[in-house]
Each structure stands twice: as C-alpha cells, then as structure tokens.
C-alpha cells in the first residue's frame, strides 16, 4: 500500500497525527497515516535505503526505514523491514510490513509515521508531499 492511499490519523488518547502536534514537551516531527498491522508498505520515494533504525531504545522490535533522495531523507516508522541498507528502491518497492503499535500504546490508532528531513537537517511537513501524490 502506498502512503498516499492511507488516511491521516486524527486524534486519539495518545495524541494527534498532524505535523507539529503536541507530544508532551516535544512536537510531532512527521505525520501519521492510518495503517493496519501487517499491511505491506511501499516506499514514498525513489532513492536509496540509507538506514534501518530503531524508533525506541527500550524496544528494539520496532523499526524504521530511511530512504534518501536528492538531499532529502524520508523515514517510515513502525515497519518490519523488507529492504536492506544500500538497496535502490522505486515508489512501488515494498519496504516493510506495518507493525502493531497497540502493544506499546493501548488503544492507539495503528499507523505508520512519515518524517522528512531536508539537506539542512530540518524536519519539513510531509503533508504536501503526500497530498501531491494523491492528485
Ligand atoms: Zn507520528
């Protein structure tokens, strides 16, 4: 499933899905897209897999995949990776299967999290990127 085919996560007891939403003392640095666990997730961009990482230091079962393209780094969180670092991907390449966030956050709306950093290392709002792909 492509990220642009998923709907935006609204608010639930754990927070809201939009860019800049409150996360306690921090701000949400990406957007959340509703996605059922085990859904096959496609890359949002053509590029190179530059990192397979861990969102949570205290639970290494959760993973993210980073794809770099033209100075931008796209990170897709909460997927069990189907790609490896150094791999070239296109927009239709499956990068992983969505994981179940409900075991960490009871009652949360299951989703994948997308964040995009520009070449200066700043988080940008992924919403226009996703909306453009919907058009
Ligand atoms: Zn998020």
């Amino acid at each position: 499933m492509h990220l642009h085919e998923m709907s935006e996560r609204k608010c639930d007891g754990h927070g809201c899905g939009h860019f800049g939403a409150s996360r306690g003392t921090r701000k949400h640095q990406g957007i959340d897209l509703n996605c059922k666990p085990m859904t096959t997730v496609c890359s949002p961009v053509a590029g190179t897999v530059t990192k397979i990482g861990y969102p949570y230091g205290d639970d290494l079962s959760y993973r993210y995949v980073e794809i770099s393209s033209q100075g931008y780094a796209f990170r897709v969180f909460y997927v069990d990776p189907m790609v490896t670092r150094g791999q070239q991907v296109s927009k239709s390449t499956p990068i992983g299967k969505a994981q179940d966030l409900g075991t960490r956050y009871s009652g949360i709306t299951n989703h994948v999290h997308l964040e995009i950093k520009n070449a200066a290392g700043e988080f940008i709002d992924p919403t226009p990127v996703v909306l453009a792909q919907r058009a």
Side-chain angles (χ1 to χ4, degrees):
M1 192 171 188
H2 292 276
L3 297 185
H4 67 263
E5 295 173 316
M6 303 172 190
S7 56
E8 293 93 344
R9 174 185 168 215
K10 304 301 182 190
C11 302
D12 59 33
H14 296 276
C16 305
H18 62 269
F19 184 73
S22 172
R23 289 291 184 275
T25 57
R26 299 186 308 109
K27 285 204 184 308
H28 192 219
Q29 293 169 318
I31 58 170
D32 296 335
L33 297 159
N34 296 324
C35 188
K36 289 193 172 67
M38 295 305 292
T39 303
T40 299
V41 177
C42 294
S43 177
V45 67
T48 306
V49 176
T50 41
K51 188 171 185 180
I52 308 286
Y54 299 95
Y56 303 119
D58 64 350
D59 186 344
L60 303 186
S61 67
Y62 291 101
R63 308 300 300 272
Y64 69 80
V65 174
E66 178 186 86
I67 302 116
S68 294
S69 176
Q70 299 179 334
Y72 291 86
F74 292 66
R75 286 185 176 179
V76 181
F77 284 69
Y78 318 129
V79 294
D80 191 9
M82 298 165 69
V83 290
T84 55
R85 198 164 68 87
Q87 187 174 333
Q88 304 292 316
V89 295
S90 71
K91 271 188 192 172
S92 56
T93 304
I95 57 169
K97 289 208 182 285
Q99 299 184 300
D100 186 1
L101 279 172
T103 53
R104 184 175 176 94
Y105 303 108
S106 179
I108 201 166
T109 310
N110 264 306
H111 62 272
V112 293
H113 168 101
L114 170 66
E115 58 187 42
I116 305 176
K117 263 187 193 173
N118 64 17
E122 301 157 335
F123 290 102
I124 63 165
D125 185 355
T127 310
V129 176
V130 172
L131 289 180
Q133 293 183 357
R134 259 179 216 167

